[in-house]
Amino acid sequence: MRRKDREVSDIKAITDILELCRTASIAMADEQTPYVVPLSYGYELKGDALILYFHCAKEGRKTDILRRNNRVCFTVFCEGEPVQTEIPCNCGYYFSSIIGNGTAQFIEDPDEKRYALGKMFEHQTGKKAEFTRAQADSVCVFQIVSRDFTGKRKSRQ
């Protein structure tokens, strides 16, 4: 990372960023064409691994790409208030972000799908919910497992 003064490596601070944000953008490679899609997520940390959970339609471009090539890059990003200065090049936004690389894995086991959907729902709403097998069967659920991620933040000093 070029701006070491903005690097976030403390796992508690990374968790704070994950809690604050609600959307992750996933970058995939569709042959020679990049493809990026924003999705709502849930997450958990297991040891040194960050696991992001997602759901989507059972068919579509995203799932087709991930079945051919499950290597992804992702970012979680929260924009804060604007930074305004007299010098236009110094303007911008305060922000918090995480970027990482990982592999996408489709979750087929019904109980694991229900667990992942529960993690997503809890992160998005702050509430716990139980999902039925029929609800889990109606969607595609996948996770990204990453051991290669870092945070970055521009905040008021």
Side-chain angles (χ1 to χ4, degrees), residues 50-148:
L50 168 60
I51 303 170
L52 298 171
Y53 297 107
F54 305 92
H55 79 292
C56 61
K58 288 185 171 186
E59 296 177 355
R61 184 175 180 189
K62 174 176 47 276
T63 56
D64 290 346
I65 294 169
L66 291 175
R67 290 188 195 288
R68 288 192 304 268
N69 179 2
N70 71 341
R71 293 176 39 206
V72 299
C73 181
F74 64 88
T75 188
V76 173
F77 184 88
C78 299
E79 218 173 69
E81 63 187 90
V83 177
Q84 297 183 5
T85 67
E86 296 299 318
I87 303 168
C89 291
N90 291 341
C91 293
Y93 279 87
Y94 296 112
F95 68 89
S96 298
S97 66
I98 297 170
I99 189 168
N101 296 294
T103 55
Q105 303 165 358
F106 290 96
I107 301 174
E108 303 298 340
D109 179 80
D111 291 333
E112 290 179 28
K113 285 176 80 171
R114 293 171 60 207
Y115 175 81
L117 290 167
K119 294 300 269 186
M120 290 180 57
F121 187 83
E122 184 176 2
H123 177 65
Q124 295 296 318
T125 67
K127 300 174 186 174
K128 293 186 182 284
E130 296 273 333
F131 287 84
T132 66
R133 185 177 181 133
Q135 290 168 321
D137 287 344
S138 71
V139 295
C140 174
V141 177
F142 67 97
Q143 65 185 15
I144 293 175
V145 178
S146 175
R147 288 181 171 79
D148 176 19

